[in-house]
Amino acid sequence: MPLYEGVEIIDIGAEGKAIARVDGVVVFTTGVIPGDIVDLQVTKKREKYQEARVVRIQTDSPDRIPAFCKHFEVCGGCKWQYLKYDKQLYYKQKQVSDQLSRIGKVTLPGIMPIKGSASSTFYRNKLEFTFSNRRWLTLDEVRSGDQFQDMDVLGFHVQGMFDKVLNVDKCWLQPEPSNAIRNTVKTYAINHNLAFYDLRNKEGLLRNLIIRTTSTGELMVIVNFFSENVEKREALLNFLNERFPEITALLYVINQKGNDTITDQDIHVFKGRDHIIEEMEGLRFIIGPKSFYQTNSLQAYELYKVARDFARLTGNEVVYDLYTGTGTIACFVASEANKVIGIEYVPEAIADARINALNNEIENARFFAGDMKNILTKEFMAEHGHPDVIITDPPRAGMHEEVIGAILYASPERIVYVSCNPATQARDISMLSHGYCVTRVQPVDMFPHTHHVENVVLLEKLTGN
């Protein structure tokens, strides 16, 4: 494979890949930014493009800055730390424009300037850490040839390696006491000879640690055990409770499945409540251990304000909130609508949504659990009212084709499409385009130092449809 020397990185494309052009051929790589001059070793050749790894950075881009986290690159998260934040926002907005134009073939109005995050560090309200007895060794440790005994670790998976976990001393993503809790639990477990999980052989006691926080100062900690040992489990949880009395909800789960997900597991309360509470504009939202809630609370508020603004509610509309989760958007817009119908496939989330509506004295919202394409039928709309406005916030995969068909049948005046993946959003908008046109686009940065971007699009029904 060829080696290209002195190549300039000229752009950033989909999924955050850096782009160069050599002899008219597009070359994709990672770990560099526009303006960097690099040597590239080609690793894959395709008909229309090539992929390469960076061998050396000859000259730094003027937009390159030092990474602030010592775990940068090995961790695999926060990959854009070396790119100035204003430039991160520029390339995220460009990604939205490119995806909508190229994939969706959408005629765009002027895209509004992306809403940057007020906090670019310590902005997440949820993190999950993995216990492992096979910590990732540094390059210097590997080269030493030594045998290391301190292999127990509590941190993040190394990118692309399911059985290797990076020890994390300080993570810049979640506010304290997140780092203090993780480091204290790790020290306690080592001092008391608790078995860290063996990811290859599927054995051990300690598996995962999940920490959730709220802007109101509430705190949930979930300890995920692989096997049950009542004495050791209670000792650890009692220690946590005594050391961190500020924990609002201290929970545990025994998960012996092949994967780490706990949505299908029984979660037990050890101390405190079985939930924490987030607030937004005076509304109080219950967050349980299985609940989805936007992981950047402050930016979630900005995102929901955009969605509400795009909906242009007068108080007379029937609003359908698709993929409603725990009903946050539905509750957020309910005071300005006649009726809100929230639909979500996770039953536990719908249970939380109903509680959220009840706790906030919202009487004009109803919630239904089930597969979106099965619920959103002609009969359902005939019973609950055809929507004047549909707000949809699907997962990264976007909407099922039958759901899009149901939306077209419902023929609302406006569709507010909230997305965490502009590529699938563009695909779905393309399928809606024969009945609707895009009139407003607002990107929102929920995840600084990553290539991910949220985007809100307003689609309005074409005249005569």
Side-chain angles (χ1 to χ4, degrees), residues 223-239:
V223 183
N224 186 342
F225 297 88
F226 177 71
S227 57
E228 173 66 297
N229 183 310
V230 175
E231 181 181 356
K232 291 181 178 180
R233 171 174 58 77
E234 290 191 347
L236 171 58
L237 294 172
N238 274 318
F239 169 78

Side-chain angles (χ1 to χ4, degrees), residues 13-247:
E15 301 301 317
K17 291 183 179 179
I19 299 174
R21 190 177 292 274
V22 180
D23 297 331
V25 177
V26 171
V27 182
F28 293 107
T29 189
T30 58
V32 286
I33 60 175
D36 283 336
I37 307 298
V38 301
D39 296 343
L40 294 173
Q41 176 65 63
V42 174
T43 57
K44 290 182 181 179
K45 278 190 171 184
R46 298 290 186 263
E47 184 178 348
K48 296 184 178 180
Y49 67 91
Q50 297 176 356
E51 295 179 17
R53 62 180 177 85
V54 176
V55 177
R56 181 168 70 103
I57 299 178
Q58 290 189 11
T59 306
D60 285 345
S61 166
D63 294 322
R64 179 176 284 274
I65 57 176
F68 51 80
C69 178
K70 74 175 188 178
H71 305 301
F72 177 63
E73 290 185 327
V74 180
C75 171
C78 305
K79 294 180 181 178
W80 278 7
Q81 285 182 39
Y82 47 58
L83 181 60
K84 294 177 180 178
Y85 188 53
D86 63 329
K87 291 297 182 179
Q88 294 182 30
L89 296 178
Y90 169 81
Y91 287 108
K92 291 185 183 195
Q93 177 140 349
K94 184 174 182 297
Q95 178 188 157
V96 168
S97 178
D98 290 349
Q99 300 280 33
L100 291 178
S101 300
R102 182 174 57 83
I103 298 175
K105 304 293 190 293
V106 174
T107 301
L108 294 175
I111 297 179
M112 289 178 280
I114 185 171
K115 287 182 175 287
S117 179
S119 299
S120 62
T121 57
F122 304 118
Y123 60 82
R124 285 187 67 100
N125 56 41
K126 179 184 178 183
L127 283 180
E128 181 169 345
F129 305 99
T130 298
F131 292 93
S132 174
N133 63 354
R134 300 172 187 270
R135 74 172 174 87
W136 175 255
L137 298 178
T138 67
L139 185 59
D140 287 341
E141 287 175 325
V142 172
R143 286 172 173 169
S144 73
D146 294 339
Q147 295 295 317
F148 294 92
Q149 300 302 315
D150 58 332
M151 295 299 290
D152 288 337
V153 64
L154 176 57
F156 295 125
H157 284 269
V158 174
Q159 188 176 19
M161 297 188 180
F162 82 95
D163 63 338
K164 291 292 187 295
V165 175
L166 174 70
N167 184 63
V168 176
D169 296 318
K170 178 179 180 179
C171 179
W172 292 76
L173 284 173
Q174 190 174 34
E176 293 294 356
S178 178
N179 284 307
I181 290 173
R182 183 191 63 256
N183 290 329
T184 300
V185 167
K186 177 193 168 188
T187 300
Y188 175 93
I190 291 173
N191 290 343
H192 290 79
N193 296 314
L194 303 186
F196 286 51
Y197 190 51
D198 189 316
L199 289 153
R200 289 183 180 176
N201 298 319
K202 309 295 183 187
E203 60 188 19
L205 177 67
L206 299 173
R207 186 166 185 172
N208 298 97
L209 177 71
I210 301 171
I211 301 175
R212 304 187 76 155
T213 57
T214 69
S215 61
T216 60
E218 297 200 341
L219 176 63
M220 175 183 288
V221 177
I222 309 168
V223 183
N224 186 342
F225 297 88
F226 177 71
S227 57
E228 173 66 297
N229 183 310
V230 175
E231 181 181 356
K232 291 181 178 180
R233 171 174 58 77
E234 290 191 347
L236 171 58
L237 294 172
N238 274 318
F239 169 78
L240 259 177
N241 183 59
E242 293 169 5
R243 187 67 179 270
F244 298 96
E246 63 268 39
I247 295 176

